[in-house]
């Protein structure tokens, strides 16, 4: 299957400041970390704990999980935090955000001198560390980004949403890409984790009302682009290669590892999916609007800035293959500006509410 990697680009360097809705994930994810550190086979006497953040972006949302894990380790335990993202990630921002000091500063019994931070520019669809070398890995708001490419979109921007992809054959091709990539992701985690190790994920899903997160904002952006970008300039191949998953999709990925390797416990399992819970997260920008802290236009600006921090690098990367970069920058400024007032006028329709499956899976064989 063709790859999305020649289209995708990493988050912008100001993602730490603009990823407001993503930063709320920890509220629901923390209980999974508490469970993992208290009930898994992570022995308190272990002398080395290696933890990987898969899809770290600029590192702002990496801190809370790493601080918690460190706080649960004995003083004698060495901790290595391994941050994984694409080679194009703004690694200088990561290096100044996630440090031994930022992980251990609040913990008198832990020392920065026994805490190490490593950065790996590599796709998480393949193993990122040696086999059986991880104690715990986690991924927040990242696995919806696909490696595979299901095809160009003649009617939209977001690959997972029928609003953008009314053509059944195109939508099914992206569905197949989403399934294949999730299987690859789970298999890579299986290879990396030691037996008894744990994977924790916040996996993007469809909202309870059937909407796709961020998709209506994305469609507004697409409509503004459609009136400004010629078809011959690559609009059809300008795709945000994402897929949103169900409980069944998630569990199927862990089950296929068993089928692939054909070994496990008496039930044929090599994973124990201990938790798979659904939570919706209200857009914190919309909450500020409802509290009267910002105006409608300020709301529209903040929403489009957040969308831009996540999506604009990939949009620009797609269109830059056929358009002059300077012309493209001017065009996209105009596109985003055109979206501000419509977003501010209808926050119930245009918002960055998110929905996730919170997953804890233990490698048991």
């Amino acid at each position: 299957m063709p790859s999305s990697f020649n289209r995708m680009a990493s988050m912008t360097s100001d993602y730490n400041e603009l990823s407001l809705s993503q930063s709320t994930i920890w509220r629901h994810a923390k209980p999974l970390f508490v469970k993992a550190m208290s009930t898994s086979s992570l022995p308190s006497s272990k002398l080395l704990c290696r933890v990987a953040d898969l899809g770290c972006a600029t590192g702002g949302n990496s801190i809370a999980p790493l601080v918690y894990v460190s706080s649960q380790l004995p003083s004698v335990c060495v901790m290595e935090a391994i941050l994984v993202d694409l080679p194009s990630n703004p690694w200088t921002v990561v290096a100044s955000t996630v440090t031994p000091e930022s992980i251990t500063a609040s913990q008198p019994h832990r020392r920065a001198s026994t805490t190490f931070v490593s950065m790996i520019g590599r796709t998480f669809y393949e193993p990122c560390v040696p086999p059986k070398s991880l104690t715990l890995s986690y991924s927040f708001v990242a696995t919806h980004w696909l490696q595979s490419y299901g095809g160009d979109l003649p009617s939209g921007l977001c690959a997972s949403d029928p609003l953008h992809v009314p053509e059944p054959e195109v939508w099914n091709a992206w569905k197949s890409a989403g399934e294949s990539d999730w299987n690859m992701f789970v298999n890579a985690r299986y290879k990396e984790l030691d037996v008894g190790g744990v994977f924790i994920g916040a996996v993007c899903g469809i909202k309870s009302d059937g909407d796709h997160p961020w998709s209506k904002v994305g469609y507004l952006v697409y409509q503004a682009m459609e009136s400004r970008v010629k078809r011959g300039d690559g609009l059809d191949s300008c795709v945000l290669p994402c897929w949103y998953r169900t409980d069944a999709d998630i569990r199927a990925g862990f089950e296929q590892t068993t089928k692939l390797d054909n070994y496990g416990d008496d039930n044929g399992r090599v994973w124990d999916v201990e938790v798979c819970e659904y939570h919706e997260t209200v857009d914190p920008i919309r909450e500020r609007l409802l509290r009267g802290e910002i105006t409608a236009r300020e709301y529209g600006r903040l929403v489009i800035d957040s969308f831009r921090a996540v999506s604009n690098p990939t949009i620009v990367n797609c269109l830059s293959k056929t358009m002059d970069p300077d012309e493209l920058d001017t065009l996209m400024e105009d596109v985003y500006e055109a979206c501000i007032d419509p977003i501010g006028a209808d926050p119930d329709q245009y918002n960055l509410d998110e929905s996730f499956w919170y997953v804890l899976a233990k490698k048991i064989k």
Side-chain angles (χ1 to χ4, degrees), residues 203-225:
V203 181
C204 290
I206 300 168
K207 295 165 67 176
S208 58
D209 62 4
D211 281 351
H212 286 60
W214 295 48
S215 180
K216 289 183 177 177
V217 174
Y219 198 64
L220 190 66
V221 171
Y222 173 78
Q223 289 174 314
M225 291 171 61

mmCIF file with all atom_site columns, all heavy atoms in Angstrom, residues 203-225:
data_model
loop_
_atom_site.group_PDB
_atom_site.id
_atom_site.type_symbol
_atom_site.label_atom_id
_atom_site.label_alt_id
_atom_site.label_comp_id
_atom_site.label_asym_id
_atom_site.label_entity_id
_atom_site.label_seq_id
_atom_site.pdbx_PDB_ins_code
_atom_site.Cartn_x
_atom_site.Cartn_y
_atom_site.Cartn_z
_atom_site.occupancy
_atom_site.B_iso_or_equiv
_atom_site.pdbx_formal_charge
_atom_site.auth_seq_id
_atom_site.auth_comp_id
_atom_site.auth_asym_id
_atom_site.auth_atom_id
_atom_site.pdbx_PDB_model_num
ATOM 1   N N   . VAL A 1 203 ? -6.529  6.524  22.102 1.00 0.00 ? 203 VAL A N   1
ATOM 2   C CA  . VAL A 1 203 ? -6.730  6.231  20.683 1.00 0.00 ? 203 VAL A CA  1
ATOM 3   C C   . VAL A 1 203 ? -7.967  6.981  20.198 1.00 0.00 ? 203 VAL A C   1
ATOM 4   O O   . VAL A 1 203 ? -9.060  6.803  20.745 1.00 0.00 ? 203 VAL A O   1
ATOM 5   C CB  . VAL A 1 203 ? -6.889  4.714  20.451 1.00 0.00 ? 203 VAL A CB  1
ATOM 6   C CG1 . VAL A 1 203 ? -7.072  4.414  18.976 1.00 0.00 ? 203 VAL A CG1 1
ATOM 7   C CG2 . VAL A 1 203 ? -5.679  3.960  21.019 1.00 0.00 ? 203 VAL A CG2 1
ATOM 8   N N   . CYS A 1 204 ? -7.818  7.793  19.180 1.00 0.00 ? 204 CYS A N   1
ATOM 9   C CA  . CYS A 1 204 ? -8.921  8.632  18.695 1.00 0.00 ? 204 CYS A CA  1
ATOM 10  C C   . CYS A 1 204 ? -10.079 7.787  18.179 1.00 0.00 ? 204 CYS A C   1
ATOM 11  O O   . CYS A 1 204 ? -9.880  6.822  17.435 1.00 0.00 ? 204 CYS A O   1
ATOM 12  C CB  . CYS A 1 204 ? -8.437  9.550  17.588 1.00 0.00 ? 204 CYS A CB  1
ATOM 13  S SG  . CYS A 1 204 ? -7.329  10.844 18.145 1.00 0.00 ? 204 CYS A SG  1
ATOM 14  N N   . GLY A 1 205 ? -11.303 8.182  18.585 1.00 0.00 ? 205 GLY A N   1
ATOM 15  C CA  . GLY A 1 205 ? -12.510 7.511  18.131 1.00 0.00 ? 205 GLY A CA  1
ATOM 16  C C   . GLY A 1 205 ? -13.547 8.513  17.678 1.00 0.00 ? 205 GLY A C   1
ATOM 17  O O   . GLY A 1 205 ? -13.387 9.726  17.809 1.00 0.00 ? 205 GLY A O   1
ATOM 18  N N   . ILE A 1 206 ? -14.647 7.980  17.143 1.00 0.00 ? 206 ILE A N   1
ATOM 19  C CA  . ILE A 1 206 ? -15.752 8.817  16.690 1.00 0.00 ? 206 ILE A CA  1
ATOM 20  C C   . ILE A 1 206 ? -16.554 9.284  17.903 1.00 0.00 ? 206 ILE A C   1
ATOM 21  O O   . ILE A 1 206 ? -16.717 8.550  18.874 1.00 0.00 ? 206 ILE A O   1
ATOM 22  C CB  . ILE A 1 206 ? -16.646 8.022  15.716 1.00 0.00 ? 206 ILE A CB  1
ATOM 23  C CG1 . ILE A 1 206 ? -15.816 7.571  14.513 1.00 0.00 ? 206 ILE A CG1 1
ATOM 24  C CG2 . ILE A 1 206 ? -17.834 8.844  15.253 1.00 0.00 ? 206 ILE A CG2 1
ATOM 25  C CD1 . ILE A 1 206 ? -16.515 6.553  13.635 1.00 0.00 ? 206 ILE A CD1 1
ATOM 26  N N   . LYS A 1 207 ? -17.068 10.505 17.855 1.00 0.00 ? 207 LYS A N   1
ATOM 27  C CA  . LYS A 1 207 ? -17.841 11.049 18.962 1.00 0.00 ? 207 LYS A CA  1
ATOM 28  C C   . LYS A 1 207 ? -19.171 10.317 19.090 1.00 0.00 ? 207 LYS A C   1
ATOM 29  O O   . LYS A 1 207 ? -19.657 9.693  18.151 1.00 0.00 ? 207 LYS A O   1
ATOM 30  C CB  . LYS A 1 207 ? -18.065 12.545 18.756 1.00 0.00 ? 207 LYS A CB  1
ATOM 31  C CG  . LYS A 1 207 ? -16.783 13.357 18.805 1.00 0.00 ? 207 LYS A CG  1
ATOM 32  C CD  . LYS A 1 207 ? -16.947 14.758 18.261 1.00 0.00 ? 207 LYS A CD  1
ATOM 33  C CE  . LYS A 1 207 ? -17.843 15.603 19.128 1.00 0.00 ? 207 LYS A CE  1
ATOM 34  N NZ  . LYS A 1 207 ? -17.903 17.003 18.632 1.00 0.00 ? 207 LYS A NZ  1
ATOM 35  N N   . SER A 1 208 ? -19.776 10.389 20.269 1.00 0.00 ? 208 SER A N   1
ATOM 36  C CA  . SER A 1 208 ? -21.010 9.653  20.544 1.00 0.00 ? 208 SER A CA  1
ATOM 37  C C   . SER A 1 208 ? -22.167 10.090 19.657 1.00 0.00 ? 208 SER A C   1
ATOM 38  O O   . SER A 1 208 ? -23.103 9.327  19.423 1.00 0.00 ? 208 SER A O   1
ATOM 39  C CB  . SER A 1 208 ? -21.398 9.808  22.022 1.00 0.00 ? 208 SER A CB  1
ATOM 40  O OG  . SER A 1 208 ? -21.551 11.170 22.357 1.00 0.00 ? 208 SER A OG  1
ATOM 41  N N   . ASP A 1 209 ? -22.117 11.333 19.134 1.00 0.00 ? 209 ASP A N   1
ATOM 42  C CA  . ASP A 1 209 ? -23.178 11.797 18.239 1.00 0.00 ? 209 ASP A CA  1
ATOM 43  C C   . ASP A 1 209 ? -22.903 11.449 16.781 1.00 0.00 ? 209 ASP A C   1
ATOM 44  O O   . ASP A 1 209 ? -23.652 11.844 15.885 1.00 0.00 ? 209 ASP A O   1
ATOM 45  C CB  . ASP A 1 209 ? -23.385 13.314 18.384 1.00 0.00 ? 209 ASP A CB  1
ATOM 46  C CG  . ASP A 1 209 ? -22.152 14.130 18.001 1.00 0.00 ? 209 ASP A CG  1
ATOM 47  O OD1 . ASP A 1 209 ? -21.147 13.534 17.545 1.00 0.00 ? 209 ASP A OD1 1
ATOM 48  O OD2 . ASP A 1 209 ? -22.190 15.366 18.159 1.00 0.00 ? 209 ASP A OD2 1
ATOM 49  N N   . GLY A 1 210 ? -21.830 10.696 16.534 1.00 0.00 ? 210 GLY A N   1
ATOM 50  C CA  . GLY A 1 210 ? -21.498 10.278 15.179 1.00 0.00 ? 210 GLY A CA  1
ATOM 51  C C   . GLY A 1 210 ? -20.544 11.199 14.447 1.00 0.00 ? 210 GLY A C   1
ATOM 52  O O   . GLY A 1 210 ? -20.047 10.854 13.371 1.00 0.00 ? 210 GLY A O   1
ATOM 53  N N   . ASP A 1 211 ? -20.287 12.380 15.007 1.00 0.00 ? 211 ASP A N   1
ATOM 54  C CA  . ASP A 1 211 ? -19.333 13.297 14.382 1.00 0.00 ? 211 ASP A CA  1
ATOM 55  C C   . ASP A 1 211 ? -17.906 12.787 14.553 1.00 0.00 ? 211 ASP A C   1
ATOM 56  O O   . ASP A 1 211 ? -17.605 12.048 15.483 1.00 0.00 ? 211 ASP A O   1
ATOM 57  C CB  . ASP A 1 211 ? -19.436 14.689 15.007 1.00 0.00 ? 211 ASP A CB  1
ATOM 58  C CG  . ASP A 1 211 ? -20.618 15.481 14.478 1.00 0.00 ? 211 ASP A CG  1
ATOM 59  O OD1 . ASP A 1 211 ? -21.248 15.015 13.499 1.00 0.00 ? 211 ASP A OD1 1
ATOM 60  O OD2 . ASP A 1 211 ? -20.925 16.550 15.033 1.00 0.00 ? 211 ASP A OD2 1
ATOM 61  N N   . HIS A 1 212 ? -17.058 13.243 13.646 1.00 0.00 ? 212 HIS A N   1
ATOM 62  C CA  . HIS A 1 212 ? -15.629 12.956 13.754 1.00 0.00 ? 212 HIS A CA  1
ATOM 63  C C   . HIS A 1 212 ? -14.933 14.162 14.360 1.00 0.00 ? 212 HIS A C   1
ATOM 64  O O   . HIS A 1 212 ? -15.168 15.292 13.934 1.00 0.00 ? 212 HIS A O   1
ATOM 65  C CB  . HIS A 1 212 ? -15.031 12.642 12.384 1.00 0.00 ? 212 HIS A CB  1
ATOM 66  C CG  . HIS A 1 212 ? -15.399 11.290 11.863 1.00 0.00 ? 212 HIS A CG  1
ATOM 67  N ND1 . HIS A 1 212 ? -16.705 10.913 11.636 1.00 0.00 ? 212 HIS A ND1 1
ATOM 68  C CD2 . HIS A 1 212 ? -14.635 10.220 11.536 1.00 0.00 ? 212 HIS A CD2 1
ATOM 69  C CE1 . HIS A 1 212 ? -16.717 9.670  11.179 1.00 0.00 ? 212 HIS A CE1 1
ATOM 70  N NE2 . HIS A 1 212 ? -15.487 9.232  11.118 1.00 0.00 ? 212 HIS A NE2 1
ATOM 71  N N   . PRO A 1 213 ? -14.063 13.961 15.347 1.00 0.00 ? 213 PRO A N   1
ATOM 72  C CA  . PRO A 1 213 ? -13.373 15.094 15.984 1.00 0.00 ? 213 PRO A CA  1
ATOM 73  C C   . PRO A 1 213 ? -12.642 15.960 14.970 1.00 0.00 ? 213 PRO A C   1
ATOM 74  O O   . PRO A 1 213 ? -11.989 15.446 14.056 1.00 0.00 ? 213 PRO A O   1
ATOM 75  C CB  . PRO A 1 213 ? -12.390 14.417 16.938 1.00 0.00 ? 213 PRO A CB  1
ATOM 76  C CG  . PRO A 1 213 ? -12.990 13.073 17.210 1.00 0.00 ? 213 PRO A CG  1
ATOM 77  C CD  . PRO A 1 213 ? -13.666 12.676 15.932 1.00 0.00 ? 213 PRO A CD  1
ATOM 78  N N   . TRP A 1 214 ? -12.776 17.255 15.114 1.00 0.00 ? 214 TRP A N   1
ATOM 79  C CA  . TRP A 1 214 ? -12.071 18.251 14.310 1.00 0.00 ? 214 TRP A CA  1
ATOM 80  C C   . TRP A 1 214 ? -12.526 18.282 12.856 1.00 0.00 ? 214 TRP A C   1
ATOM 81  O O   . TRP A 1 214 ? -12.118 19.145 12.094 1.00 0.00 ? 214 TRP A O   1
ATOM 82  C CB  . TRP A 1 214 ? -10.561 18.024 14.341 1.00 0.00 ? 214 TRP A CB  1
ATOM 83  C CG  . TRP A 1 214 ? -9.911  18.199 15.667 1.00 0.00 ? 214 TRP A CG  1
ATOM 84  C CD1 . TRP A 1 214 ? -10.312 17.679 16.867 1.00 0.00 ? 214 TRP A CD1 1
ATOM 85  C CD2 . TRP A 1 214 ? -8.726  18.942 15.950 1.00 0.00 ? 214 TRP A CD2 1
ATOM 86  N NE1 . TRP A 1 214 ? -9.461  18.050 17.877 1.00 0.00 ? 214 TRP A NE1 1
ATOM 87  C CE2 . TRP A 1 214 ? -8.467  18.827 17.333 1.00 0.00 ? 214 TRP A CE2 1
ATOM 88  C CE3 . TRP A 1 214 ? -7.857  19.683 15.172 1.00 0.00 ? 214 TRP A CE3 1
ATOM 89  C CZ2 . TRP A 1 214 ? -7.370  19.432 17.957 1.00 0.00 ? 214 TRP A CZ2 1
ATOM 90  C CZ3 . TRP A 1 214 ? -6.767  20.282 15.784 1.00 0.00 ? 214 TRP A CZ3 1
ATOM 91  C CH2 . TRP A 1 214 ? -6.530  20.150 17.152 1.00 0.00 ? 214 TRP A CH2 1
ATOM 92  N N   . SER A 1 215 ? -13.379 17.344 12.453 1.00 0.00 ? 215 SER A N   1
ATOM 93  C CA  . SER A 1 215 ? -13.650 17.162 11.034 1.00 0.00 ? 215 SER A CA  1
ATOM 94  C C   . SER A 1 215 ? -14.436 18.323 10.427 1.00 0.00 ? 215 SER A C   1
ATOM 95  O O   . SER A 1 215 ? -14.193 18.719 9.286  1.00 0.00 ? 215 SER A O   1
ATOM 96  C CB  . SER A 1 215 ? -14.403 15.853 10.820 1.00 0.00 ? 215 SER A CB  1
ATOM 97  O OG  . SER A 1 215 ? -14.673 15.656 9.459  1.00 0.00 ? 215 SER A OG  1
ATOM 98  N N   . LYS A 1 216 ? -15.398 18.877 11.175 1.00 0.00 ? 216 LYS A N   1
ATOM 99  C CA  . LYS A 1 216 ? -16.182 19.975 10.610 1.00 0.00 ? 216 LYS A CA  1
ATOM 100 C C   . LYS A 1 216 ? -15.336 21.234 10.460 1.00 0.00 ? 216 LYS A C   1
ATOM 101 O O   . LYS A 1 216 ? -15.521 22.001 9.499  1.00 0.00 ? 216 LYS A O   1
ATOM 102 C CB  . LYS A 1 216 ? -17.425 20.228 11.461 1.00 0.00 ? 216 LYS A CB  1
ATOM 103 C CG  . LYS A 1 216 ? -18.462 19.116 11.315 1.00 0.00 ? 216 LYS A CG  1
ATOM 104 C CD  . LYS A 1 216 ? -19.727 19.390 12.096 1.00 0.00 ? 216 LYS A CD  1
ATOM 105 C CE  . LYS A 1 216 ? -20.749 18.276 11.854 1.00 0.00 ? 216 LYS A CE  1
ATOM 106 N NZ  . LYS A 1 216 ? -21.976 18.462 12.648 1.00 0.00 ? 216 LYS A NZ  1
ATOM 107 N N   . VAL A 1 217 ? -14.418 21.447 11.396 1.00 0.00 ? 217 VAL A N   1
ATOM 108 C CA  . VAL A 1 217 ? -13.452 22.535 11.212 1.00 0.00 ? 217 VAL A CA  1
ATOM 109 C C   . VAL A 1 217 ? -12.613 22.248 9.969  1.00 0.00 ? 217 VAL A C   1
ATOM 110 O O   . VAL A 1 217 ? -12.363 23.136 9.143  1.00 0.00 ? 217 VAL A O   1
ATOM 111 C CB  . VAL A 1 217 ? -12.555 22.697 12.459 1.00 0.00 ? 217 VAL A CB  1
ATOM 112 C CG1 . VAL A 1 217 ? -11.459 23.737 12.205 1.00 0.00 ? 217 VAL A CG1 1
ATOM 113 C CG2 . VAL A 1 217 ? -13.383 23.094 13.673 1.00 0.00 ? 217 VAL A CG2 1
ATOM 114 N N   . GLY A 1 218 ? -12.195 20.995 9.812  1.00 0.00 ? 218 GLY A N   1
ATOM 115 C CA  . GLY A 1 218 ? -11.415 20.615 8.641  1.00 0.00 ? 218 GLY A CA  1
ATOM 116 C C   . GLY A 1 218 ? -12.177 20.804 7.348  1.00 0.00 ? 218 GLY A C   1
ATOM 117 O O   . GLY A 1 218 ? -11.604 21.212 6.328  1.00 0.00 ? 218 GLY A O   1
ATOM 118 N N   . TYR A 1 219 ? -13.482 20.550 7.371  1.00 0.00 ? 219 TYR A N   1
ATOM 119 C CA  . TYR A 1 219 ? -14.276 20.714 6.143  1.00 0.00 ? 219 TYR A CA  1
ATOM 120 C C   . TYR A 1 219 ? -14.444 22.186 5.802  1.00 0.00 ? 219 TYR A C   1
ATOM 121 O O   . TYR A 1 219 ? -14.464 22.564 4.627  1.00 0.00 ? 219 TYR A O   1
ATOM 122 C CB  . TYR A 1 219 ? -15.639 20.046 6.292  1.00 0.00 ? 219 TYR A CB  1
ATOM 123 C CG  . TYR A 1 219 ? -16.313 19.794 4.961  1.00 0.00 ? 219 TYR A CG  1
ATOM 124 C CD1 . TYR A 1 219 ? -15.748 18.916 4.034  1.00 0.00 ? 219 TYR A CD1 1
ATOM 125 C CD2 . TYR A 1 219 ? -17.500 20.439 4.617  1.00 0.00 ? 219 TYR A CD2 1
ATOM 126 C CE1 . TYR A 1 219 ? -16.346 18.686 2.807  1.00 0.00 ? 219 TYR A CE1 1
ATOM 127 C CE2 . TYR A 1 219 ? -18.104 20.206 3.393  1.00 0.00 ? 219 TYR A CE2 1
ATOM 128 C CZ  . TYR A 1 219 ? -17.519 19.334 2.491  1.00 0.00 ? 219 TYR A CZ  1
ATOM 129 O OH  . TYR A 1 219 ? -18.103 19.114 1.267  1.00 0.00 ? 219 TYR A OH  1
ATOM 130 N N   . LEU A 1 220 ? -14.559 23.027 6.821  1.00 0.00 ? 220 LEU A N   1
ATOM 131 C CA  . LEU A 1 220 ? -14.609 24.467 6.591  1.00 0.00 ? 220 LEU A CA  1
ATOM 132 C C   . LEU A 1 220 ? -13.304 24.939 5.944  1.00 0.00 ? 220 LEU A C   1
ATOM 133 O O   . LEU A 1 220 ? -13.320 25.746 5.002  1.00 0.00 ? 220 LEU A O   1
ATOM 134 C CB  . LEU A 1 220 ? -14.844 25.191 7.917  1.00 0.00 ? 220 LEU A CB  1
ATOM 135 C CG  . LEU A 1 220 ? -15.165 26.685 7.856  1.00 0.00 ? 220 LEU A CG  1
ATOM 136 C CD1 . LEU A 1 220 ? -16.504 26.931 7.181  1.00 0.00 ? 220 LEU A CD1 1
ATOM 137 C CD2 . LEU A 1 220 ? -15.179 27.283 9.271  1.00 0.00 ? 220 LEU A CD2 1
ATOM 138 N N   . VAL A 1 221 ? -12.183 24.439 6.443  1.00 0.00 ? 221 VAL A N   1
ATOM 139 C CA  . VAL A 1 221 ? -10.886 24.761 5.849  1.00 0.00 ? 221 VAL A CA  1
ATOM 140 C C   . VAL A 1 221 ? -10.835 24.270 4.401  1.00 0.00 ? 221 VAL A C   1
ATOM 141 O O   . VAL A 1 221 ? -10.384 24.990 3.492  1.00 0.00 ? 221 VAL A O   1
ATOM 142 C CB  . VAL A 1 221 ? -9.738  24.147 6.678  1.00 0.00 ? 221 VAL A CB  1
ATOM 143 C CG1 . VAL A 1 221 ? -8.394  24.283 5.951  1.00 0.00 ? 221 VAL A CG1 1
ATOM 144 C CG2 . VAL A 1 221 ? -9.665  24.797 8.053  1.00 0.00 ? 221 VAL A CG2 1
ATOM 145 N N   . TYR A 1 222 ? -11.334 23.062 4.168  1.00 0.00 ? 222 TYR A N   1
ATOM 146 C CA  . TYR A 1 222 ? -11.323 22.506 2.810  1.00 0.00 ? 222 TYR A CA  1
ATOM 147 C C   . TYR A 1 222 ? -12.150 23.371 1.856  1.00 0.00 ? 222 TYR A C   1
ATOM 148 O O   . TYR A 1 222 ? -11.721 23.648 0.721  1.00 0.00 ? 222 TYR A O   1
ATOM 149 C CB  . TYR A 1 222 ? -11.869 21.086 2.820  1.00 0.00 ? 222 TYR A CB  1
ATOM 150 C CG  . TYR A 1 222 ? -12.054 20.512 1.428  1.00 0.00 ? 222 TYR A CG  1
ATOM 151 C CD1 . TYR A 1 222 ? -10.953 20.039 0.711  1.00 0.00 ? 222 TYR A CD1 1
ATOM 152 C CD2 . TYR A 1 222 ? -13.305 20.469 0.826  1.00 0.00 ? 222 TYR A CD2 1
ATOM 153 C CE1 . TYR A 1 222 ? -11.105 19.529 -0.565 1.00 0.00 ? 222 TYR A CE1 1
ATOM 154 C CE2 . TYR A 1 222 ? -13.459 19.962 -0.457 1.00 0.00 ? 222 TYR A CE2 1
ATOM 155 C CZ  . TYR A 1 222 ? -12.355 19.502 -1.153 1.00 0.00 ? 222 TYR A CZ  1
ATOM 156 O OH  . TYR A 1 222 ? -12.505 19.012 -2.414 1.00 0.00 ? 222 TYR A OH  1
ATOM 157 N N   . GLN A 1 223 ? -13.325 23.808 2.312  1.00 0.00 ? 223 GLN A N   1
ATOM 158 C CA  . GLN A 1 223 ? -14.166 24.644 1.448  1.00 0.00 ? 223 GLN A CA  1
ATOM 159 C C   . GLN A 1 223 ? -13.476 25.962 1.111  1.00 0.00 ? 223 GLN A C   1
ATOM 160 O O   . GLN A 1 223 ? -13.566 26.455 -0.018 1.00 0.00 ? 223 GLN A O   1
ATOM 161 C CB  . GLN A 1 223 ? -15.510 24.899 2.132  1.00 0.00 ? 223 GLN A CB  1
ATOM 162 C CG  . GLN A 1 223 ? -16.392 23.664 2.198  1.00 0.00 ? 223 GLN A CG  1
ATOM 163 C CD  . GLN A 1 223 ? -17.661 23.891 3.002  1.00 0.00 ? 223 GLN A CD  1
ATOM 164 O OE1 . GLN A 1 223 ? -17.623 24.462 4.088  1.00 0.00 ? 223 GLN A OE1 1
ATOM 165 N NE2 . GLN A 1 223 ? -18.789 23.450 2.457  1.00 0.00 ? 223 GLN A NE2 1
ATOM 166 N N   . ALA A 1 224 ? -12.765 26.527 2.088  1.00 0.00 ? 224 ALA A N   1
ATOM 167 C CA  . ALA A 1 224 ? -12.017 27.758 1.817  1.00 0.00 ? 224 ALA A CA  1
ATOM 168 C C   . ALA A 1 224 ? -10.866 27.494 0.850  1.00 0.00 ? 224 ALA A C   1
ATOM 169 O O   . ALA A 1 224 ? -10.564 28.323 -0.017 1.00 0.00 ? 224 ALA A O   1
ATOM 170 C CB  . ALA A 1 224 ? -11.486 28.343 3.127  1.00 0.00 ? 224 ALA A CB  1
ATOM 171 N N   . MET A 1 225 ? -10.232 26.337 0.963  1.00 0.00 ? 225 MET A N   1
ATOM 172 C CA  . MET A 1 225 ? -9.165  25.977 0.032  1.00 0.00 ? 225 MET A CA  1
ATOM 173 C C   . MET A 1 225 ? -9.725  25.729 -1.360 1.00 0.00 ? 225 MET A C   1
ATOM 174 O O   . MET A 1 225 ? -9.115  26.121 -2.363 1.00 0.00 ? 225 MET A O   1
ATOM 175 C CB  . MET A 1 225 ? -8.442  24.720 0.524  1.00 0.00 ? 225 MET A CB  1
ATOM 176 C CG  . MET A 1 225 ? -7.618  24.912 1.785  1.00 0.00 ? 225 MET A CG  1
ATOM 177 S SD  . MET A 1 225 ? -7.027  23.333 2.446  1.00 0.00 ? 225 MET A SD  1
ATOM 178 C CE  . MET A 1 225 ? -6.018  22.744 1.097  1.00 0.00 ? 225 MET A CE  1
#
